[in-house]
Amino acid sequence: MTRPSTLVLALAASFGASGVAGRDEPHVLRRACPDYTSYASTGHAPYSGGPLNLPFQRPAVECRTFASSAVEQVIDDVTSRMVDKDLAQLFRNAFPNTLDTTIRWHTNGSTTSTTSRKNKRDNAQWQGPQTFVVTGDINAEWLRDSTNQLSGYQLLAKKDPALYNLILGAINTQAEFVIQSPYCNAFQPPSPSGIQPTNNGQQDTVHPAYEPSVVFECKYELDSLANFLALATDFYENTGSTEFLTNRWYLALNTLLSVLDAQSAPTFNSKQQYVQNQYTFQRQTTLGTETLSLAGIGNPLNRGTGLIRSAFRPSDDATILGFFIPPNAMMSVQLNKTASILRAVGGQDDLASNLQSRSDKLAQAVREHGIVQHPKYGDVYAFEVDGYGSRILMDDANVPSLLSLPLLGFLDKSDQTYQNTRTMILSAEGNPYYLTGSDFHGIGGPHIGLQNAWPMSLLVQAMTSSSQAEITTSINLVRNSSLLGLVHESINVNNIKDYTRPWFAWANSVFAQTILKVAAENPDIIFGEGAEPYVVS
Ligand SMILES: *[C@@H]1O[C@H](CO)[C@@H](O)[C@H](O)[C@H]1NC(C)=O
Ligand SMILES: *[C@@H]1O[C@H](CO)[C@@H](O)[C@H](O)[C@H]1NC(C)=O
Ligand SMILES: *[C@@H]1O[C@H](CO)[C@@H](O)[C@H](O)[C@H]1NC(C)=O
């Protein structure tokens, strides 16, 4: 996600007044701590000593928003083995970036559980650990960004109780957001945090209506809901814990399922009569990608596909055709994983079968309607379809994307249709948003425009590649474009120094995950010839 840069400046969070992580009092002012957006816009010592001499970008210890000894251990283990000093500096800054800078509020549950209303407790809001994770330079939490920001720490949650509680809190907080406004993508600080909400500066007309003190922005993106499930399924897979299965989480799940049902409805019923979709969005804007056509409805979608509509993409840009394939694939995987957890726990057999059947049907719909014939590349996955035969062939850097399908768990990277799709979307001829220039190249998207490719796409390219050369080149190009020691949102393909967003936590998490994956699977690339694999556990 991003916002126009003028807005970012207006809304830049005062880092000095941030909530205190690891404590329950939300309001300890740290006036000496600089705003991280401006801190990250210039370099700091100690520099790497490598050819790019990348700067150190971690805030002073007392300014960090959360501390984990397990994370510090991984930083030491990995950077001490890495051969390339610039790449090591980037990992040192990037891996802890979400903990260092974006945990605006965290409570481990000890204050909220003191309530005497015991009988209401199970159904009351904000019970148990809570965690509010901002995206970086905007004082709001995106469901998608926060799941991805935390995903690199899931591997350590079993061993570090602080991280366990942090992620459990994030699941609980996301559940409250989904219950309150399941169509929305970005949220304000929870009321118990005492942190003031901000205004996104837009004039939007949205149905269903939402409460602006809870919601920062209400773009309906199917992947936001898939990411709500992913945060919990990933936690379960890494810790074996089902502590997140509270009444609130089940209520959030049921709320999510009602959205899936409503968004599976076609534009015209079986008598070809128009039926208004439950969700509409209109913004006063000059940007076509920031609002929906047909007075907030979006382009017509046909009956009988089994696909679920998404009004916006993970870039927060509007879809052109609402049956957007990558989040449908992701939702299918996440429903399946949720079903297995419920089966393992027991006592929820009907719900588990319901989720399983939704997952199977959705996977089938993605294959039946998402795979199309291309005259040059053969069978490929379309980015978006409408059920009438129209398709959009492209990919956008933001995950879920077509390039990321193996990482989402939808298919194996050796899948032939995926390989055809990959060849298509990694070429300027096959993907209008594959952008190349004198200094940089990669997949971009409409969000920043036609001269900016996104480092995140190169990281996903590295993580879905079997070629050591492709992995190395992709990682090194990201390194070369991260001259301030952090991974940016997008880079001008003709000027590697021209970037958007100094403080974009999600991209830094993806970089760290890429390095950890390479450390485990291809250690030679970063640790040198003959090095042992390094596996986080
Ligand atoms: C929660 O916080 C309280 C008070 O700071 C502390 O005593 C307790 O050990 C914490 N529990 C966990 C699980 O971190
Ligand atoms: C669901 O998960 C199981 C493993 O638990 C896997 O075998 C199956 O292929 C998955 N199905 C879908 C549709 O993802
Ligand atoms: C990165 O920059 C170095 C010069 O500092 C250059 O030699 C190398 O080719 C670049 N790597 C990539 C992948 O662009």
Side-chain angles (χ1 to χ4, degrees), residues 332-333 336-337 340 343 356 359-360 363 367 409-410:
S332 168
V333 171
N336 189 32
K337 289 182 183 228
S340 340
R343 270 195 301 270
Q356 186 62 61
S359 167
D360 295 344
R367 292 193 192 98
F410 185 72

PDB file of all heavy atoms in Angstrom, residues 332-333 336-337 340 343 356 359-360 363 367 409-410, ligand 2:
ATOM      1  N   SER A 332      -8.234 -19.506  -1.180  1.00  0.00           N
ATOM      2  CA  SER A 332      -8.457 -20.954  -1.240  1.00  0.00           C
ATOM      3  C   SER A 332      -7.471 -21.684  -0.327  1.00  0.00           C
ATOM      4  O   SER A 332      -7.855 -22.564   0.458  1.00  0.00           O
ATOM      5  CB  SER A 332      -8.316 -21.430  -2.687  1.00  0.00           C
ATOM      6  OG  SER A 332      -8.250 -22.828  -2.709  1.00  0.00           O
ATOM      7  N   VAL A 333      -6.210 -21.297  -0.398  1.00  0.00           N
ATOM      8  CA  VAL A 333      -5.184 -21.932   0.441  1.00  0.00           C
ATOM      9  C   VAL A 333      -5.476 -21.689   1.923  1.00  0.00           C
ATOM     10  O   VAL A 333      -5.406 -22.606   2.751  1.00  0.00           O
ATOM     11  CB  VAL A 333      -3.782 -21.379   0.088  1.00  0.00           C
ATOM     12  CG1 VAL A 333      -2.743 -21.855   1.095  1.00  0.00           C
ATOM     13  CG2 VAL A 333      -3.386 -21.772  -1.332  1.00  0.00           C
ATOM     14  N   ASN A 336      -8.364 -23.647   3.355  1.00  0.00           N
ATOM     15  CA  ASN A 336      -7.929 -25.037   3.519  1.00  0.00           C
ATOM     16  C   ASN A 336      -7.109 -25.201   4.806  1.00  0.00           C
ATOM     17  O   ASN A 336      -7.328 -26.130   5.589  1.00  0.00           O
ATOM     18  CB  ASN A 336      -7.093 -25.427   2.289  1.00  0.00           C
ATOM     19  CG  ASN A 336      -6.760 -26.902   2.230  1.00  0.00           C
ATOM     20  OD1 ASN A 336      -7.539 -27.737   2.676  1.00  0.00           O
ATOM     21  ND2 ASN A 336      -5.593 -27.218   1.688  1.00  0.00           N
ATOM     22  N   LYS A 337      -6.186 -24.270   5.018  1.00  0.00           N
ATOM     23  CA  LYS A 337      -5.346 -24.360   6.222  1.00  0.00           C
ATOM     24  C   LYS A 337      -6.188 -24.161   7.489  1.00  0.00           C
ATOM     25  O   LYS A 337      -5.961 -24.826   8.505  1.00  0.00           O
ATOM     26  CB  LYS A 337      -4.246 -23.293   6.191  1.00  0.00           C
ATOM     27  CG  LYS A 337      -3.177 -23.587   5.157  1.00  0.00           C
ATOM     28  CD  LYS A 337      -2.078 -22.535   5.182  1.00  0.00           C
ATOM     29  CE  LYS A 337      -1.050 -22.814   4.096  1.00  0.00           C
ATOM     30  NZ  LYS A 337       0.324 -22.760   4.562  1.00  0.00           N
ATOM     31  N   SER A 340      -7.974 -27.330   8.278  1.00  0.00           N
ATOM     32  CA  SER A 340      -7.139 -28.367   8.938  1.00  0.00           C
ATOM     33  C   SER A 340      -6.936 -28.053  10.411  1.00  0.00           C
ATOM     34  O   SER A 340      -6.898 -28.975  11.228  1.00  0.00           O
ATOM     35  CB  SER A 340      -5.751 -28.534   8.331  1.00  0.00           C
ATOM     36  OG  SER A 340      -5.665 -28.041   7.083  1.00  0.00           O
ATOM     37  N   ARG A 343     -10.097 -29.035  12.222  1.00  0.00           N
ATOM     38  CA  ARG A 343     -10.188 -30.501  12.324  1.00  0.00           C
ATOM     39  C   ARG A 343      -9.263 -31.030  13.417  1.00  0.00           C
ATOM     40  O   ARG A 343      -9.632 -31.906  14.190  1.00  0.00           O
ATOM     41  CB  ARG A 343      -9.850 -31.154  10.983  1.00  0.00           C
ATOM     42  CG  ARG A 343     -11.072 -31.342  10.085  1.00  0.00           C
ATOM     43  CD  ARG A 343     -10.770 -32.314   8.947  1.00  0.00           C
ATOM     44  NE  ARG A 343      -9.665 -31.841   8.123  1.00  0.00           N
ATOM     45  CZ  ARG A 343      -9.818 -31.066   7.051  1.00  0.00           C
ATOM     46  NH1 ARG A 343     -11.026 -30.690   6.658  1.00  0.00           N
ATOM     47  NH2 ARG A 343      -8.785 -30.657   6.359  1.00  0.00           N
ATOM     48  N   GLN A 356     -13.515 -26.307   4.065  1.00  0.00           N
ATOM     49  CA  GLN A 356     -12.849 -27.188   3.109  1.00  0.00           C
ATOM     50  C   GLN A 356     -13.547 -27.142   1.756  1.00  0.00           C
ATOM     51  O   GLN A 356     -12.914 -27.050   0.711  1.00  0.00           O
ATOM     52  CB  GLN A 356     -12.865 -28.627   3.656  1.00  0.00           C
ATOM     53  CG  GLN A 356     -12.068 -29.589   2.814  1.00  0.00           C
ATOM     54  CD  GLN A 356     -10.601 -29.189   2.782  1.00  0.00           C
ATOM     55  OE1 GLN A 356      -9.961 -29.157   3.817  1.00  0.00           O
ATOM     56  NE2 GLN A 356     -10.086 -28.870   1.616  1.00  0.00           N
ATOM     57  N   SER A 359     -12.871 -23.948  -0.006  1.00  0.00           N
ATOM     58  CA  SER A 359     -11.498 -23.935  -0.520  1.00  0.00           C
ATOM     59  C   SER A 359     -11.385 -24.729  -1.822  1.00  0.00           C
ATOM     60  O   SER A 359     -10.797 -24.253  -2.804  1.00  0.00           O
ATOM     61  CB  SER A 359     -10.558 -24.517   0.532  1.00  0.00           C
ATOM     62  OG  SER A 359      -9.301 -24.779  -0.031  1.00  0.00           O
ATOM     63  N   ASP A 360     -11.955 -25.931  -1.813  1.00  0.00           N
ATOM     64  CA  ASP A 360     -11.869 -26.786  -3.007  1.00  0.00           C
ATOM     65  C   ASP A 360     -12.542 -26.119  -4.207  1.00  0.00           C
ATOM     66  O   ASP A 360     -11.998 -26.098  -5.313  1.00  0.00           O
ATOM     67  CB  ASP A 360     -12.530 -28.147  -2.744  1.00  0.00           C
ATOM     68  CG  ASP A 360     -11.792 -28.947  -1.665  1.00  0.00           C
ATOM     69  OD1 ASP A 360     -10.633 -28.592  -1.354  1.00  0.00           O
ATOM     70  OD2 ASP A 360     -12.370 -29.918  -1.143  1.00  0.00           O
ATOM     71  N   ALA A 363     -10.457 -23.162  -5.491  1.00  0.00           N
ATOM     72  CA  ALA A 363      -9.262 -23.589  -6.231  1.00  0.00           C
ATOM     73  C   ALA A 363      -9.658 -24.026  -7.644  1.00  0.00           C
ATOM     74  O   ALA A 363      -8.986 -23.689  -8.628  1.00  0.00           O
ATOM     75  CB  ALA A 363      -8.570 -24.729  -5.493  1.00  0.00           C
ATOM     76  N   ARG A 367      -8.653 -22.247 -11.371  1.00  0.00           N
ATOM     77  CA  ARG A 367      -8.074 -22.958 -12.518  1.00  0.00           C
ATOM     78  C   ARG A 367      -8.977 -22.849 -13.743  1.00  0.00           C
ATOM     79  O   ARG A 367      -8.517 -22.630 -14.862  1.00  0.00           O
ATOM     80  CB  ARG A 367      -7.810 -24.420 -12.162  1.00  0.00           C
ATOM     81  CG  ARG A 367      -6.712 -24.541 -11.130  1.00  0.00           C
ATOM     82  CD  ARG A 367      -6.184 -25.961 -10.944  1.00  0.00           C
ATOM     83  NE  ARG A 367      -5.368 -25.966  -9.748  1.00  0.00           N
ATOM     84  CZ  ARG A 367      -5.804 -26.366  -8.547  1.00  0.00           C
ATOM     85  NH1 ARG A 367      -7.027 -26.837  -8.395  1.00  0.00           N
ATOM     86  NH2 ARG A 367      -5.012 -26.308  -7.498  1.00  0.00           N
ATOM     87  N   GLY A 409       1.414 -20.781  -1.579  1.00  0.00           N
ATOM     88  CA  GLY A 409       1.067 -22.180  -1.329  1.00  0.00           C
ATOM     89  C   GLY A 409       0.022 -22.711  -2.288  1.00  0.00           C
ATOM     90  O   GLY A 409      -0.541 -23.786  -2.083  1.00  0.00           O
ATOM     91  N   PHE A 410      -0.267 -21.962  -3.378  1.00  0.00           N
ATOM     92  CA  PHE A 410      -1.329 -22.404  -4.295  1.00  0.00           C
ATOM     93  C   PHE A 410      -0.822 -23.453  -5.265  1.00  0.00           C
ATOM     94  O   PHE A 410      -1.574 -24.323  -5.690  1.00  0.00           O
ATOM     95  CB  PHE A 410      -1.911 -21.216  -5.060  1.00  0.00           C
ATOM     96  CG  PHE A 410      -3.081 -21.593  -5.916  1.00  0.00           C
ATOM     97  CD1 PHE A 410      -4.301 -21.912  -5.330  1.00  0.00           C
ATOM     98  CD2 PHE A 410      -2.973 -21.668  -7.305  1.00  0.00           C
ATOM     99  CE1 PHE A 410      -5.400 -22.287  -6.113  1.00  0.00           C
ATOM    100  CE2 PHE A 410      -4.057 -22.036  -8.091  1.00  0.00           C
ATOM    101  CZ  PHE A 410      -5.280 -22.345  -7.489  1.00  0.00           C
TER     102      PHE A 410
HETATM  103  C1  LIG B   2      -5.394 -28.593   1.418  1.00  0.00           C
HETATM  104  O1  LIG B   2      -4.352 -29.012   2.277  1.00  0.00           O
HETATM  105  C2  LIG B   2      -3.949 -30.348   2.091  1.00  0.00           C
HETATM  106  C3  LIG B   2      -2.886 -30.639   3.136  1.00  0.00           C
HETATM  107  O2  LIG B   2      -3.387 -30.368   4.423  1.00  0.00           O
HETATM  108  C4  LIG B   2      -3.443 -30.537   0.686  1.00  0.00           C
HETATM  109  O3  LIG B   2      -3.124 -31.891   0.488  1.00  0.00           O
HETATM  110  C5  LIG B   2      -4.493 -30.093  -0.328  1.00  0.00           C
HETATM  111  O4  LIG B   2      -3.961 -30.134  -1.610  1.00  0.00           O
HETATM  112  C6  LIG B   2      -4.938 -28.687  -0.019  1.00  0.00           C
HETATM  113  N1  LIG B   2      -6.004 -28.269  -0.915  1.00  0.00           N
HETATM  114  C7  LIG B   2      -6.081 -27.051  -1.429  1.00  0.00           C
HETATM  115  C8  LIG B   2      -7.272 -26.786  -2.296  1.00  0.00           C
HETATM  116  O5  LIG B   2      -5.261 -26.185  -1.235  1.00  0.00           O
END
